[in-house]
Amino acid sequence: MECLYCFLGFLLLAARLPLDAAKRFHDVLSNERTSDYMREHNQLAGWSSDENEWNEKLYPVWKKEDPRWKNCWKGGHVRAILTSDSPALVGSTITFVVDLVFPRCQKEDVSGNIVYEKNCRNDIGPSPDLYVYNWTEEGGWGNSPNQHHHHVYPDGKPFPHHTGWKRCNFVYVFHTLGQYLQKLGRGSARVSINTANVTLGPQLMEVIVYRRHQHAYVPVAKVKDVYEVTDHVPVFVTMYQKNDRNLSDETFLRDLPIMFNVLIHDPSHFLNESAIYYKWNFGDNTGLFVSNNPTLNHTYVLNGTFSLNLTVQAAVPGPCPSPSPTPPKPTSPLCKCFPTGDNPLELRETPDETCHINRYGYFRATITIVDGILAVNIIQMTDVLVPAPQPDNSLMDLVVTCQGIMPTEVCTVVSDPSCQITYNTVCDPVDVNTGDSCLLTVRRAFRGSGTYCLNLTLGDDRSLALTSALVSVPARDPASPSSMANGALVSVGCLAIFVTVITLLVYKKHKEYKYLIGNGTGIVIKGKGLNVFLNHAKALFCPGNQEQDPLLKHQPGTV
C-alpha cells in the first residue's frame, strides 16, 4: 500500500514539473489572479491567449519586492504612465497609450538612445558621460550571427522588421481579458482594441515594459489601469449662461437663456454615420423638446429647483440578425427586429437589408433658478472739474443703470484704447439701500486726457453683469477758472504796472461805477467791480464792438 502511495506521489510530482519549469503569460501578467480569470471572453483581433509560455531566460520575471528593481535603470527609476480614452461604447475602438518617464536630466534622442540633457543638474550633479544607454554603439541589431535568438518577443515570435525597428529599444507587453499583445517601441507605445467582443463593465489593462540589455532584456516598469466598456452612449453636458458668476454650481438666473451643449464621448468616431437625436425635458412644464442639434437654449421664467433630463438616441449602422426559420412577413417598409423603446439595444431593418442598432445615453441634473443682475448700461458720462492742487487728474462721473436686482459691488478696469494694457482696477461696495431702481453714479479718475477702454461690472453673490465703453477724456481748457487763476498769479507784477499807467486816464468813469458798487451787495459785487475796471481800461486801448461785453448784461437796477 505504501508503494502505491509513493507511486501516486511520483506521478503528481512529474505532472507538476512542466508547470514549474515554464512560466505562462498569466503567471507574469495576471496580477496574482487565478489563471481561470476571464477565460470566457471572446478572442480579440491580433491578441494571443495568456496560456502561452513565457521565455523567462530572455525576459526575467521579478516580483514586486525583488531588490533588482532598484538597479534596473541608471540614475534613477523609470515610470510608466498608462492612459486610455475610456469609457468606450461597445462596438467602438478604445486606445491605450503608455508613456515612459525617464529620471531627471535624461531623455531619448532621435536614434532611440537615452542621453543626458545638456545644462541639466540632478541630485548627483552633471554627468561626464553623454549617454545613459548607447544602444547604437552596443550593436546586436543584425551584427550577431545568433541575432535570431534574442530578436524575439517573450512568446518566441520574431520582431517585425519594419522601418526604423532597430531604433526601438523597448518591448511592451499588454495584457487584458486573458489575452496579451506584444509591441516593439521607443519611449511610448500605443495599442487599440475593438470592443465588439469585450464584456460590458470595468476591465483591467496591465502593461510590463522591458529594455534592451546586450542579448537579453531587463524589466524597467509595470503599470495597470481600469477601463470601461458600456452599451450607453457616454454623454456630457456643458451649461453656460451670460452673467452667471459660478458656472459649476448649477445655479442660474431667471429670465436669461441658458445654453446647453451636449458632448458625446466618441474618440474613435464610431457614431459618425449615426443619426443622433436629443430629447430634452427641462422640468418646468414646458414640454418635451426633440432636436438633432447638440446645442439648445432654454430660459427659465420662474425661480425654484428643476430636474433636467436628456435622452440621446443614436441609430448605429450594424449587421442584421440571422433570419429565424419562420420569419414574419413585414407589413411596412420599416421592420422592427426587436421591441422598440428606450432599450439600450434595438435593431431596425430598412428596405435595403441594412440594420441599425439604437444606442441610448442619458444625462440628468438638478438646476436652481434665482434672481440676478440681468444687464448693465452706461447712460451718461460727465467731466468733473478737478481742483487746482490736482492738475494731472481727470475725473469722470458715469451714470449706470441695470436690470434685475440691485448689485452689491461695482468694479471698473481702465485700459488703453485696445483694451490690452490695464492701467488700474477699482472695486467699491454699493449701498443696497439706494432704492428699488438701479441707478448709480460711479466716479473714476483717468490719467489725463485721451481715449480709454473702460470695463464696468456690477455683481452680487450669484451674478456678474459687464459692459464696456470707450471713454474720451477732454483736454483741460486753458481758460478754465483754475487756469485763469494760475495765469493771474504769474503775471501779477505786469498787471500792477499796467494798472498804474491807466489809473489817471479812467478815473472819472471808474468813479461812476464805484458809486454803483457802493450800493451793491457783498463779495459778488466786488468781483463785478474788478471786471468793470478792467473792461473800461481795455476799451480805451482796444476800441471796437462791445456787444459781447458782459457789462451790457447787467443793468444798474439788477446788479
Side-chain angles (χ1 to χ4, degrees):
M1 193 67 180
E2 293 180 359
C3 294
L4 179 59
Y5 288 150
C6 293
F7 179 71
L8 292 175
F10 177 78
L11 291 178
L12 291 174
L13 182 61
R16 186 175 176 178
L17 281 176
L19 295 177
D20 291 339
K23 287 188 178 294
R24 302 184 184 277
F25 273 76
H26 62 72
D27 297 326
V28 179
L29 299 166
S30 62
N31 198 28
E32 299 183 358
R33 292 176 178 170
T34 62
S35 60
D36 293 332
Y37 179 75
M38 295 182 177
R39 292 279 78 81
E40 71 279 3
H41 291 294
N42 295 322
Q43 178 67 37
L44 300 176
W47 290 60
S48 305
S49 171
D50 63 6
E51 292 292 342
N52 292 341
E53 292 185 359
W54 177 282
N55 187 343
E56 192 174 2
K57 183 177 180 181
L58 279 180
Y59 295 86
V61 178
W62 299 343
K63 293 184 178 181
K64 184 177 181 180
E65 62 277 5
D66 195 308
R68 287 176 291 181
W69 283 106
K70 297 181 180 180
N71 301 314
C72 66
W73 190 270
K74 294 179 183 178
H77 297 280
V78 174
R79 291 189 301 115
I81 299 177
L82 173 62
T83 58
S84 72
D85 49 20
S86 170
L89 180 62
V90 62
S92 68
T93 299
I94 184 172
T95 299
F96 300 87
V97 177
V98 179
D99 291 307
L100 297 182
V101 180
F102 302 110
R104 176 176 169 79
C105 299
Q106 298 182 15
K107 67 176 183 179
E108 186 178 34
D109 67 6
V110 295
S111 300
N113 300 311
I114 308 301
V115 298
Y116 289 102
E117 297 184 19
K118 295 182 179 179
N119 302 321
C120 179
R121 297 180 63 88
N122 55 22
D123 296 337
I124 60 176
S127 174
D129 299 327
L130 174 62
Y131 291 96
V132 183
Y133 293 103
N134 187 353
W135 287 304
T136 301
E137 295 297 328
E138 182 180 305
W141 288 132
N143 299 325
S144 172
N146 298 321
Q147 60 178 347
H148 61 280
H149 292 305
H150 63 275
H151 292 174
V152 294
Y153 288 120
D155 63 357
K157 293 181 180 178
F159 291 158
H161 290 189
H162 54 74
T163 302
W165 73 277
K166 293 183 179 181
R167 294 192 294 270
C168 298
N169 297 296
F170 296 94
V171 175
Y172 298 81
V173 183
F174 295 80
H175 179 252
T176 188
L177 305 174
Q179 301 165 62
Y180 68 90
L181 180 71
Q182 306 163 123
K183 192 174 184 67
L184 192 65
R186 299 182 56 174
S188 180
R190 175 190 302 261
V191 298
S192 298
I193 298 175
N194 185 283
T195 60
N197 293 329
V198 177
T199 304
L200 299 180
Q203 308 295 349
L204 183 67
M205 173 66 76
E206 299 171 285
V207 183
I208 186 169
V209 186
Y210 284 77
R211 67 167 174 86
R212 283 181 54 191
H213 178 64
Q214 298 178 356
H215 298 299
Y217 301 87
V218 174
V220 294
K222 294 182 72 172
V223 65
K224 59 184 176 181
D225 192 24
V226 175
Y227 64 98
E228 184 176 4
V229 179
T230 176
D231 57 353
H232 286 170
V233 179
V235 174
F236 307 89
V237 177
T238 62
M239 293 173 275
Y240 171 78
Q241 184 186 48
K242 180 183 177 182
N243 296 358
D244 183 25
R245 190 153 199 164
N246 186 356
L247 296 176
S248 62
D249 62 356
E250 296 186 347
T251 297
F252 298 94
L253 309 180
R254 178 169 62 92
D255 294 330
L256 279 182
I258 306 173
M259 183 179 71
F260 299 90
N261 186 31
V262 183
L263 304 175
I264 295 179
H265 182 68
D266 184 31
S268 66
H269 309 293
F270 177 65
L271 299 177
N272 274 11
E273 304 299 325
S274 303
I276 302 177
Y277 297 93
Y278 307 88
K279 304 175 184 179
W280 297 90
N281 186 338
F282 294 100
D284 57 352
N285 297 321
T286 54
L288 182 68
F289 296 86
V290 181
S291 171
N292 59 358
N293 192 327
T295 301
L296 185 69
N297 291 339
H298 184 74
T299 302
Y300 287 89
V301 297
L302 298 174
N303 291 347
T305 301
F306 303 91
S307 296
L308 169 68
N309 287 276
L310 168 67
T311 300
V312 178
Q313 176 183 339
V316 183
C320 293
S322 302
S324 59
T326 56
K329 184 177 180 180
T331 57
S332 66
L334 183 64
C335 173
K336 296 179 181 179
C337 304
F338 289 93
T340 61
D342 282 355
N343 190 317
L345 177 61
E346 179 181 303
L347 295 180
R348 295 178 181 270
E349 185 175 1
T350 54
D352 58 355
E353 301 298 333
T354 61
C355 288
H356 291 81
I357 302 175
N358 281 345
R359 300 289 185 185
Y360 295 88
Y362 305 94
F363 175 82
R364 293 177 178 86
T366 300
I367 293 178
T368 302
I369 303 299
V370 298
D371 289 322
I373 305 168
L374 306 182
V376 58
N377 291 288
I378 302 174
I379 61 174
Q380 184 178 348
M381 300 182 188
T382 305
D383 187 19
V384 179
L385 184 63
V386 180
Q390 300 176 359
D392 295 333
N393 290 336
S394 296
L395 294 180
M396 297 287 289
D397 278 347
L398 312 172
V399 181
V400 179
T401 64
C402 68
Q403 300 177 19
I405 65 175
M406 282 294 299
T408 59
E409 182 183 57
V410 56
C411 293
T412 56
V413 179
V414 178
S415 310
D416 71 315
S418 66
C419 303
Q420 299 296 319
I421 302 175
T422 300
Y423 294 149
N424 64 69
T425 301
V426 180
C427 291
D428 294 314
V430 175
D431 186 2
V432 296
N433 297 321
T434 55
D436 295 334
S437 61
C438 180
L439 183 64
L440 307 173
T441 299
V442 182
R443 176 167 292 184
R444 289 294 184 259
F446 295 84
R447 300 168 55 179
S449 62
T451 302
Y452 298 87
C453 172
L454 176 71
N455 288 326
L456 185 144
T457 58
L458 300 180
D460 63 359
D461 292 340
R462 300 292 179 84
S463 55
L464 188 69
L466 167 70
T467 187
S468 299
L470 285 177
V471 179
S472 180
V473 178
R476 186 176 303 281
D477 187 358
S480 64
S482 60
S483 298
M484 290 178 64
N486 292 335
L489 292 175
V490 172
S491 59
V492 64
C494 297
L495 181 61
I497 298 173
F498 177 72
V499 170
T500 301
V501 173
I502 67 173
T503 298
L504 295 175
L505 298 176
V506 297
Y507 179 73
K508 284 186 178 182
K509 293 181 182 289
H510 176 59
K511 185 176 182 181
E512 295 174 4
Y513 281 102
K514 186 175 181 181
Y515 175 78
L516 291 174
I517 292 170
N519 294 330
T521 58
I523 297 175
V524 176
I525 299 303
K526 285 185 178 180
K528 295 299 182 183
L530 179 62
N531 285 338
V532 169
F533 174 74
L534 294 177
N535 277 282
H536 275 272
K538 181 180 68 175
L540 293 175
F541 289 89
C542 303
N545 185 9
Q546 299 294 320
E547 290 297 319
Q548 302 299 323
D549 199 307
L551 289 175
L552 298 177
K553 299 179 182 179
H554 301 280
Q555 301 299 327
T558 60
V559 175

